[in-house]
Amino acid sequence: MHTQRLNLSALSGALSGAFSGGRSARAGLSALAVTGLLATAACGTDSGDSGKDPGSDSGSSSVSSSAGGRQAAEIIGKQWNVQSVTADGTKHDAPAGAYIEFTKNGKVGGNYGCNHFGASATIKGDTITVGHDTVKTKMACTTKGTMDFESRLGAAISDSTIKAEVDGDKLTLTTGDGTTVNLTAEKPAELYGTKWNVTATVRGDAKGGSAVALSPDAEGKAHLTFDEKGTVSGQLGCNRVTAKATVGDGTITLGTAGTTRKMCSDSLMDTERSLLKLFDGTVKYQLKGSNLTLTSENGAGLEAVAGK
């Protein structure tokens, strides 16, 4: 598997023009972004491969007709949340936030459980062929088992030929060596009333931003909830927070943060300081399925997943 690692700024840049339509806000770095993402990968991959730009579109359909086309239509355009990967007879449950999404223009992307990824993909009948042009972010998540799961899922759906079976809102992907990936179609979360558990902060810089996974002691302690009365409340890792929140067309204007005044460990306070930078200003929000991303003008932000 040839994998290029990119920082979040490159992936975020790919988001802006990759897909239009549907809801104005969408989450994380979903598969709908990989057109631009793969075009970036074509310019100097680690493998040194040359040839046609994997992000370019020739105008031909990547989906076959008739019955196979109908199955492809059931797969494409949905966020499929990964439930588990079974390899060598052992089932491995997925961490929160792992998902896969296929697009009609021949792309696949999503989140392995820690890092976002994208690649080219062709669907013909019940067969999905994923290219060797996978690109991904480079976070190192500390939750036990997350990186091991990411390796298993990445191996299954990168540079591979997969059999797909759809049964209602369930999708099963089976590789040539018998590894199976079980997925369920996402029921979109609402911005309002959802407890958004922060999974990573994004540190802004002159080039954009780089996602940083939360430290182990901060996991589950940073979350936000927006209400339709124009308020956001939650916890920043150590202290509770409340502020005004005015939602616009793809933006949220956050007022001055009111917080409690506890002191916690250095790692919790670092998380809190990163999140406080989003207040007293306007952030762009992207909402897709169960994922939410907030990004400020200087590239700082957060990634969050809807609470169960």
Side-chain angles (χ1 to χ4, degrees):
M1 177 179 69
H2 303 294
T3 302
Q4 181 191 16
R5 291 176 175 265
L6 302 177
N7 67 20
L8 186 62
S9 60
L11 287 168
S12 296
L15 275 171
S16 59
F19 183 80
S20 61
R23 302 177 70 164
S24 61
R26 37 185 306 278
L29 299 162
S30 83
L32 302 180
V34 298
T35 299
L37 182 148
L38 289 172
T40 303
C43 302
T45 61
D46 292 342
S47 66
D49 292 342
S50 61
K52 182 180 178 182
D53 179 351
S56 64
D57 293 317
S58 62
S60 62
S61 175
S62 61
V63 178
S64 63
S65 59
S66 68
R70 287 194 294 272
Q71 170 148 303
E74 294 181 322
I75 296 173
I76 289 171
K78 297 178 181 179
Q79 178 175 314
W80 294 97
N81 290 339
V82 182
Q83 303 300 313
S84 65
V85 172
T86 301
D88 299 323
T90 302
K91 179 181 177 182
H92 306 275
D93 292 331
Y99 71 93
I100 300 173
E101 191 168 359
F102 297 89
T103 70
K104 63 182 179 181
N105 61 340
K107 312 296 177 186
V108 61
N111 189 291
Y112 288 134
C114 178
N115 284 287
H116 302 284
F117 74 95
S120 58
T122 300
I123 303 177
K124 292 184 178 180
D126 64 352
T127 302
I128 301 173
T129 302
V130 180
H132 63 266
D133 48 10
T134 300
V135 291
K136 61 183 287 187
T137 53
K138 53 182 180 180
M139 289 195 297
C141 294
T142 55
T143 303
K144 183 178 180 180
T146 296
M147 299 310 293
D148 286 342
F149 182 88
E150 177 160 308
S151 296
R152 291 187 177 92
L153 181 58
I157 61 173
S158 300
D159 192 12
S160 57
T161 299
I162 306 166
K163 292 294 184 181
E165 181 180 353
V166 180
D167 182 9
D169 65 348
K170 299 185 184 303
L171 172 65
T172 302
L173 304 178
T174 305
T175 67
D177 65 3
T179 297
T180 60
V181 182
N182 295 305
L183 310 98
T184 302
E186 172 63 32
K187 295 179 180 178
E190 297 293 334
L191 175 65
Y192 296 118
T194 299
K195 180 181 179 181
W196 293 104
N197 293 316
V198 178
T199 57
T201 59
V202 180
R203 296 175 179 172
D205 54 38
K207 297 181 180 180
S210 298
V212 179
L214 297 190
S215 62
D217 58 342
E219 292 173 1
K221 296 180 181 178
H223 55 84
L224 297 172
T225 301
F226 298 89
D227 65 38
E228 296 187 57
K229 297 180 180 179
T231 302
V232 61
S233 59
Q235 190 164 330
L236 301 175
C238 178
N239 286 286
R240 295 198 58 80
V241 64
T242 184
K244 291 183 178 180
T246 303
V247 178
D249 183 11
T251 65
I252 303 174
T253 300
L254 297 172
T256 301
T259 68
T260 53
R261 297 186 178 183
K262 293 191 300 181
M263 291 298 296
C264 298
S265 66
D266 289 344
S267 60
L268 288 177
M269 298 309 295
D270 284 345
T271 297
E272 184 157 310
R273 282 188 285 269
S274 294
L275 296 176
L276 281 171
K277 293 178 181 178
L278 301 178
F279 291 83
D280 273 328
T282 298
V283 298
K284 293 181 180 179
Y285 78 91
Q286 297 173 326
L287 177 61
K288 178 67 177 181
S290 60
N291 298 284
L292 173 68
T293 301
L294 303 183
T295 308
S296 67
E297 291 183 354
N298 65 3
L302 64 80
E303 298 177 7
V305 63
K308 301 297 183 181

